Amino acid sequence: MNAAPARQVLAVKYGYRVTSRAESYLNYHLYGEPDADLGIDYYFWVIRDGAEVVLVDTGFAPEVGDRKRRAHYTTPAEVLPVLGIGVDDVTAIVISHAHWDHTGNLRQFPRAQLVMSEAEYAFWTSPLAGRAHFAAHSEPDEIALLARARKEDRLTLFTGTCTPAPGIELTEVGGHTPGQLIASVATPDGGPGSTSTVVLASDALHFYEEVERDWPFAILADLPAMYRAYDTLAQLAKQPGTRLVAGHDPLVRTRFARHAVTGGPAEVEVTDLTGPPTRP
Ligand SMILES: [Zn+2]
């Protein structure tokens, strides 16, 4: 007899770009290190619980990626069936924050429940969101889609913490954006009754170096909140059985188990964050 399939958390790399360290870290000249190329992955995340699927973010829309000259290989509606997931299996979508590379394909899921922080929604639907340094990172029609979802009663807004499904806890940390959230996902550990936690930091942590070297990312709304978010993530990472997953770092693909997606575009890489670690 087959046991019920265990909860699985996947990172789907759907895009890539080469940037530089000086462009990625705030006031990089402070550190006295030479500039260098820095690869940036674009991911969305899949929490699969048997037939029930929750997405964390949806990546960017292909046409927006083209406009911004980002390489991209797939969208959720294209790749989920390759993973054996129907688009209608996605019951809920967590929106970690409302930047363009996270909200771009919400329209592929017109019936899914959406959840995000109240502060994030309030900010991006306020006049301040139109100022150049914020507007550069969002797409008005994607924000309008959130407002529409709210009218349709499909959008849950929260302050502080929220549990959209058993074993999934969202925590608002701010910093990168006014209401950036992280998602802690409890997963079976293999041993009887034991669990581990996958912490999907999304853009509270683009690159591991932000926490490991205390180097803030260059795009931000609130520097003290960003530092506090790094402290929160560093504390979580110290807990036994916790896997900290950065939002844009190619290291995710070497720190955790990677498997090929057969039948999808060759550049798409899926990393099983609940699989055996590839690095102690
Ligand atoms: Zn991002």
Side-chain angles (χ1 to χ4, degrees):
M1 200 175 89
N2 287 334
R7 172 179 275 171
Q8 197 181 33
V9 187
L10 305 172
V12 180
K13 177 197 157 198
Y14 70 90
Y16 185 73
R17 173 187 180 221
V18 177
T19 177
S20 70
R21 297 167 79 75
E23 240 186 75
S24 303
Y25 295 110
L26 182 68
N27 293 325
Y28 185 67
H29 60 88
L30 287 178
Y31 309 123
E33 296 199 10
D35 196 9
D37 284 352
L38 186 63
I40 180 162
D41 281 359
Y42 292 86
Y43 300 101
F44 60 86
W45 300 271
V46 180
I47 304 168
R48 169 151 60 178
D49 239 327
E52 286 230 347
V53 177
V54 174
L55 293 189
V56 176
D57 297 334
T58 60
F60 58 71
E63 63 277 15
V64 180
D66 288 341
R67 196 204 311 145
K68 293 178 183 273
R69 299 177 188 280
R70 296 332 192 241
H72 55 89
Y73 320 118
T74 195
T75 67
E78 185 184 37
V79 78
L80 289 176
V82 178
L83 299 169
I85 296 169
V87 165
D88 289 337
D89 297 337
V90 177
T91 52
I93 301 175
V94 173
I95 300 163
S96 74
H97 64 303
H99 277 176
W100 68 284
D101 56 322
H102 298 259
T103 56
N105 294 301
L106 287 169
R107 65 195 156 175
Q108 294 180 335
F109 304 92
R111 284 176 295 282
Q113 291 294 316
L114 310 179
V115 56
M116 69 192 294
S117 79
E118 168 103 49
E120 188 71 4
Y121 181 83
F123 178 81
W124 291 103
T125 51
S126 77
L128 261 184
R131 307 291 269 270
H133 282 265
F134 293 116
H137 307 297
S138 77
E139 289 293 315
D141 60 331
E142 294 168 12
I143 303 301
L145 189 149
L146 294 175
R148 216 160 46 240
R150 191 175 188 216
K151 282 207 186 87
E152 294 166 2
D153 221 10
R154 288 199 295 126
L155 177 64
T156 300
L157 301 175
F158 73 94
T159 299
T161 60
C162 175
T163 304
I168 302 178
E169 182 167 85
L170 311 179
T171 305
E172 183 184 9
V173 294
H176 175 58
T177 60
Q180 169 79 47
L181 64 78
I182 60 173
S184 297
V185 187
T187 61
D189 208 9
S194 68
T195 58
S196 61
T197 303
V198 173
V199 176
L200 300 175
S202 182
D203 289 8
L205 179 70
H206 292 69
F207 298 106
Y208 286 106
E209 274 186 329
E210 291 163 46
V211 155
E212 291 167 2
R213 306 189 74 177
D214 210 24
W215 285 358
F217 190 71
I219 297 165
L220 75 169
D222 180 338
L223 183 56
M226 185 176 256
Y227 273 131
R228 283 194 295 270
Y230 294 155
D231 290 345
T232 298
L233 291 169
Q235 277 301 324
L236 285 172
K238 273 192 220 151
Q239 309 295 317
T242 297
R243 297 177 173 199
L244 178 59
V245 182
H248 284 275
D249 200 327
L251 283 174
V252 166
R253 292 181 283 120
T254 52
R255 290 190 179 189
F256 305 101
R258 184 157 36 125
H259 49 89
V261 179
T262 46
E267 300 90 343
V268 176
E269 290 187 32
V270 177
T271 300
D272 184 356
L273 305 167
T274 36
T278 50
R279 203 199 75 160

